[in-house]
Amino acid sequence: MNQESIRLSKEGWKKWGPYVSNRQWGTVREDYSANGDAWNANSHDAARSKAWRWGEEGIGGISDDKQFLCFAPAFWNGKDPILKEVFYGLTNTEGNHGEDVKELFYYLDSSPTHSYMKMLYKYPQQAFPYEELVRENGSRSRQDTEYELVNTGVFDNNEYFDIFIEYAKSAEEDILINITAHNRNNIKAQLTMLPTLWFRNRWSWGDHLKQLSISKKDKMSLAITHKDLGEYFLYAESPADWLFTENDTNTRRLYQYDDGGKYYKDAFHNYLIHQDTAAVNPAKTGSKAAAVYTFDIEGGQSATVKLRLCKGSNNKPFADFDQIFKERKKETDEFYETLQGTLSAADEQLIYRQAMAGLLWNKQFYNYNVGKWLKGDAKQPLPPAGHNTSRNLNWKHLNNADIISMPDKWEFPWYASWDLAFHCVSLALVDAAFAKEQLLLLTKEWFMHPNGQLPAYEWNFDDTNPPVHAWATWEVYKMDQKKNNGQGDLPFLEAVFQKLLINFTWWVNRKDHTGSNIFSGGFLGLDNIGIFDRSMVLPPGMHIEQADGTSWMAMYALNMMHISLELALHNPVYENMATKFFEHFLYIAGAIMNIMGPDDSGLWDNEDEFFYDELSIKGRDAIKLKLRSMVGLIPLFAVEIITDDTLKKLPNFARRMEWFLKHKPELASLVSRWTEKGEGDKHLLSLLRGHRVKRILYRMLNETEFLSDYGIRSLSKSYQQNPFVFPTGRENITVTYIPGESDSGMFGGNSNWRGPIWMPVNYLIIQSLLRFHEYYNDDFKVEYPSGTGNYLSLRNIAIKLSERLISIFKSNDLGLRPCFGEHHKLQHDVHFKDYLLFNEYFHGDNGKGLGASHQTGWTALIANLLLNSTKKSNEVH
């Protein structure tokens, strides 16, 4: 066993990690306004002066797992009007496609215990173009592309610093810090680095006393004391000018109110930028401290700062510094080498490693007590009227203070339930224990609503995300079982299952409006995919019956059935639960397939041979919303196989199934293909029979519709030349294929499901094809691409789709990566071209990365695809 795997098996090695957010300003939890306008309640400009209530932010920051103590570097190029302590970005209203970080930084490496971590920040040497970014993006329409930092020209003449931030642990609470700045220009440039240490402010709200301090020990070290953490020291290899202040809000600057304080959070900014020496505490003590290093770095040269943060003192903190870094890097390499065994190509290994790095760096201490937030704090002014009814009123029980995998710590510094499920499937590649903890966490009483609903995200916990938690639980369980020589974690599986029983019931009671097993659910994570906002309240007597909502529930039922079957092998009580979910699946399948819905209306359209949503209107015929989108492909996801071997081991389940199918022959014959065994005595449970699988795949694999060179589009490309038009009586609603950023303001306009390629649903499509192939085997072939006369098995099609998705990131024959789009600097410069961003979604025609630029959360599924695709390709050949 390698050293990193040994550390994973021990307690304490994840006590410290990259748990500091990239953005705390502009979040719901820091918004105490009357109208819930989170983006304007706290601005980037205010961030340097405001002590945050619920968490901390920084550049490449680390903290302990309770976020008592934080560390992050700050930078100043001598020309900026602002000390660079946090990343800059535009708010939802400033960006022409919603909020967007306007910095360039990359997560390059991380072991799962964070025993070694590395990231890169590209800091311009000229004044940062804050005003230009606001002005130019503000002048652009939703039809225009975003104006990014690289477009401003600040990197064109190599006038920037590459700042590498590295951490290595000697022990659980002994962290070595190495910050190296490279001047990429050929002319000398000045850079000031401020390695900064501070306590999260817990004393200003009335809950905790201020029992802590940071003080100067000598010219090369700080002494840190905290009631709960104990005694720490921060050592600097080189003598420094130490600055001290308090992590308190500058009320004079923000609110024109003198609270009697003297030293504030923004002191270091004022000291450097405005030469205000009175801003810092001459007594050399406080709750925030920084070392100041100013370097004149020659062109092509670098400067390094070395520090060590440890519990307890160390008489020779730098004697073994370089050796420890060398060992941790080597051990991290060895850890990943054992996982990347099937990846022989160096480029594929690079993609895999950086994908995992981004996923691991995007862990965050997430702190939010909704009840307290609505009420306000004892030592603060009462929130204005309206705040206590602004949002999340039904979630007063929610009290989170946990390390959680975030989608993107700048653009989405809050968890989303379905994002997190996908994260866990990738996390399980390197740290199954953490993946399991995350899946369990969302089902805890301080997360899950008493009625069984899982919290969606802080903007509206009441929203409904696709129910993929059971799917992720089963995936992680199987991955973990394989790593442990067939020994599955049954307590984990059972614990999640018990809570998901309540969640499944919530779905049935709340989202099946007519009791007909046809489900709605709102936008279901697919933002603007509908003809209109699927979450809006419709007039009385109207509701949308959703093909995706119903299909997700069919998939959910099968996932729960499969978990029940696994648990029943060890406890026969679960056979009855397996039966319950088997039958519920068949009722849902019958409804969606046009045999059991109200008035015999299903969601399959025989003319188009595709699934559509329906607008149900009381007293009138339902209206099919015949827009070909990902909604109509999601029925593929509900597929499962039961073997005769399983039935032999669970005779009670087998008998009940046989009875049910005998008395419901229409379901047995039209849905499950129960009487037709596949290869190896397998039985197929699916929403689709073979013919309908082929008809859906005909459209999905058609390059004029869904099939792109880079995966499956979210909307048919046919609507590019012939937009879909839906008449309403007053005006026509038009939907056009938009392969890039959204042209609509729906859901903030910062994501687009009307054309681009999204990794999570593509991953589920590939998984589904492999499941169908497991039943049908190589004899079942489909034209790929449609209209070419070339026929492949579903397995080979899955491999081909994986290869298209992987090609988004791979360097092609011209040395170009599609994810970088048209940016010449990113494509060709040696200091850019191998640093990857794992975007939220990708252009439907050229594969360019779009949306949140560090959403390595679900886009980290590319690592799973790399391993699976290589393995399956090798098996085929």
Side-chain angles (χ1 to χ4, degrees), residues 645-663:
D645 182 58
T646 298
L647 296 177
K648 290 174 184 176
K649 292 177 181 177
L650 301 171
N652 292 333
F653 173 69
R655 280 194 295 271
R656 175 60 189 174
M657 284 178 62
E658 187 175 344
W659 182 94
F660 184 83
L661 294 170
K662 181 179 179 181
H663 290 80

Side-chain angles (χ1 to χ4, degrees), residues 31 52 59 77 99 127 223 331 367 391 505 521 540 571 652 672 678 751 755 759 777 780 799 849:
D31 171 23
W52 299 120
I59 295 173
N77 57 18
E99 63 268 26
E331 290 161 1
N367 187 26
R391 65 176 84 238
T505 303
N571 184 347
N652 292 333
S672 67
S751 68
M759 194 65 67
N777 65 56
F780 190 95
I799 293 171

Side-chain angles (χ1 to χ4, degrees), residues 12-17 19 63-65 169 172-173 229 232:
W13 274 92
K14 287 181 277 190
K15 180 179 178 65
W16 281 83
Y19 308 142
S63 77
D64 63 276
D65 56 6
K169 294 180 185 177
E172 293 94 326
E173 297 179 78
L229 276 181
Y232 277 72

Side-chain angles (χ1 to χ4, degrees), residues 238-250:
S238 303
D241 180 14
W242 295 97
L243 304 180
F244 294 82
T245 189
E246 300 296 337
N247 186 18
D248 285 323
T249 297
N250 188 339

Side-chain angles (χ1 to χ4, degrees), residues 441-506:
L441 193 60
L442 240 61
T443 68
K444 297 297 186 182
E445 291 73 21
W446 53 94
F447 281 81
M448 181 185 252
H449 197 282
N451 65 17
Q453 185 178 8
L454 294 179
Y457 37 72
E458 66 176 35
W459 288 93
N460 185 1
F461 285 124
D462 278 324
D463 267 348
T464 310
N465 280 181
V468 292
H469 211 80
W471 166 79
T473 297
W474 179 247
E475 288 295 303
V476 169
Y477 172 81
K478 295 298 288 183
M479 293 168 73
D480 187 44
Q481 184 183 49
K482 185 177 180 180
K483 286 184 177 181
N484 288 291
N485 300 314
Q487 182 64 45
D489 187 348
L490 290 170
F492 155 72
L493 192 65
E494 187 170 15
V496 179
F497 178 82
Q498 293 290 348
K499 288 297 186 71
L500 291 183
L501 284 174
I502 307 170
N503 179 249
F504 189 92
T505 303
W506 175 85

Side-chain angles (χ1 to χ4, degrees), residues 601-876:
S601 61
L603 302 179
W604 173 262
D605 185 82
N606 286 316
E607 182 181 2
D608 289 359
E609 295 187 303
F610 204 72
F611 284 106
Y612 297 117
D613 288 348
E614 278 191 350
L615 181 61
S616 179
I617 306 172
K618 188 175 182 180
R620 294 174 53 185
D621 291 339
I623 301 172
K624 275 193 168 59
L625 305 176
K626 300 176 73 170
L627 177 69
R628 290 194 300 282
S629 72
M630 182 61 66
V631 166
L633 302 180
I634 288 175
L636 288 167
F637 301 168
V639 54
E640 196 51 82
I641 290 168
I642 298 178
T643 65
D644 276 355
D645 182 58
T646 298
L647 296 177
K648 290 174 184 176
K649 292 177 181 177
L650 301 171
N652 292 333
F653 173 69
R655 280 194 295 271
R656 175 60 189 174
M657 284 178 62
E658 187 175 344
W659 182 94
F660 184 83
L661 294 170
K662 181 179 179 181
H663 290 80
K664 296 288 183 180
E666 71 281 7
L667 293 176
S669 61
L670 296 178
V671 182
S672 67
R673 285 289 193 178
W674 189 250
T675 58
E676 299 178 20
K677 294 180 184 178
E679 184 178 351
D681 293 330
K682 297 170 184 174
H683 304 278
L684 180 70
L685 293 174
S686 168
L687 293 178
L688 307 167
R689 293 164 290 168
H691 171 72
R692 288 186 177 178
V693 169
K694 289 183 176 181
R695 298 319 301 156
I696 286 182
L697 292 184
Y698 175 79
R699 291 198 184 277
M700 188 185 87
L701 302 176
N702 191 323
E703 292 175 309
T704 65
E705 293 216 44
F706 290 97
L707 183 61
S708 160
D709 288 344
Y710 305 100
I712 301 300
R713 303 177 176 106
S714 49
L715 186 77
S716 172
K717 187 177 172 66
S718 64
Y719 299 121
Q720 187 171 41
Q721 299 298 324
N722 300 291
F724 175 86
V725 179
F726 181 74
T728 66
R730 296 182 178 178
E731 60 180 354
N732 292 336
I733 300 175
T734 301
V735 177
T736 304
Y737 169 76
I738 305 291
E741 291 104 345
S742 174
D743 65 348
S744 162
M746 196 183 299
F747 289 93
N750 65 335
S751 68
N752 183 24
W753 284 84
R754 292 182 174 179
I757 295 155
W758 291 76
M759 194 65 67
V761 286
N762 269 263
Y763 186 82
L764 289 174
I765 286 170
I766 289 166
Q767 273 211 326
S768 299
L769 292 177
L770 292 173
R771 292 301 276 162
F772 277 115
H773 176 269
E774 189 178 341
Y775 174 76
Y776 285 118
N777 65 56
D778 287 339
D779 294 335
F780 190 95
K781 295 184 185 293
V782 173
E783 199 173 19
Y784 175 88
S786 299
T788 62
N790 180 47
Y791 286 82
L792 296 177
S793 70
L794 298 184
R795 174 193 177 92
N796 284 335
I797 291 172
I799 293 171
K800 294 291 186 183
L801 290 179
S802 295
E803 290 170 350
R804 293 191 182 218
L805 291 162
I806 292 167
S807 74
I808 290 172
F809 301 97
K810 286 183 72 171
S811 180
N812 62 23
D813 293 341
L814 299 175
L816 306 178
R817 299 185 191 274
C819 58
F820 289 155
E822 72 283 0
H823 293 302
H824 185 272
K825 188 83 170 176
L826 304 185
Q827 293 282 18
H828 297 282
D829 192 297
V830 67
H831 297 302
F832 284 83
K833 66 187 183 70
D834 289 332
Y835 298 136
L836 302 180
L837 295 175
F838 295 84
N839 292 77
E840 182 182 5
Y841 56 95
F842 301 88
H843 194 284
D845 293 338
N846 61 38
K848 179 183 176 181
L850 302 168
S853 54
H854 293 84
Q855 192 154 346
T856 325
W858 61 24
T859 303
L861 290 165
I862 198 69
N864 301 69
L865 290 176
L866 276 165
L867 293 180
N868 295 339
S869 177
T870 305
K871 179 182 176 182
K872 294 185 184 305
S873 294
N874 291 339
E875 289 173 356
V876 169

